[in-house]
Amino acid sequence: MKAVISVIGQDKVGILAMIANECADHNLNVLDVTQTIVDSIFTMTMIVDIDEMSIPLNEFADKMEVLGKEKDLVIRCMHQDIFNSMHKI
């Protein structure tokens, strides 16, 4: 199973590393990452494997949302099936 993590906010050093470390701390394997910076706004989408994660996905998503607020970022995490359903026409 996979999840999608999205991050948006003012660019600063270490955002990608911070998210990757949180994933590693909870045994999520990063499968793919895309990021861009437009006019100093950082955006990133990360696909992670959640088969071996150490906590439930909803707890991880809540934790990432709190981390985002602490770091002045918007961080969302959702199961890939939900993400795909939201973006189907």
Side-chain angles (χ1 to χ4, degrees), residues 3-5 19 21-28 48 50 53-66 75-78:
V4 178
I5 300 171
I19 302 302
N21 284 332
E22 286 295 324
C23 289
D25 288 348
H26 297 290
N27 209 33
L28 283 76
V48 294
I50 59 174
M53 71 186 309
S54 61
I55 62 174
L57 181 58
N58 64 325
E59 286 182 31
F60 180 77
D62 291 345
K63 181 179 178 104
M64 295 303 284
E65 189 170 337
V66 169
I75 304 174
R76 299 285 183 256
C77 179
M78 67 182 73

Side-chain angles (χ1 to χ4, degrees), residues 41-58:
I41 301 299
F42 176 92
T43 62
M44 179 178 74
T45 303
M46 181 180 281
I47 307 297
V48 294
D49 183 323
I50 59 174
D51 286 336
E52 304 294 326
M53 71 186 309
S54 61
I55 62 174
L57 181 58
N58 64 325

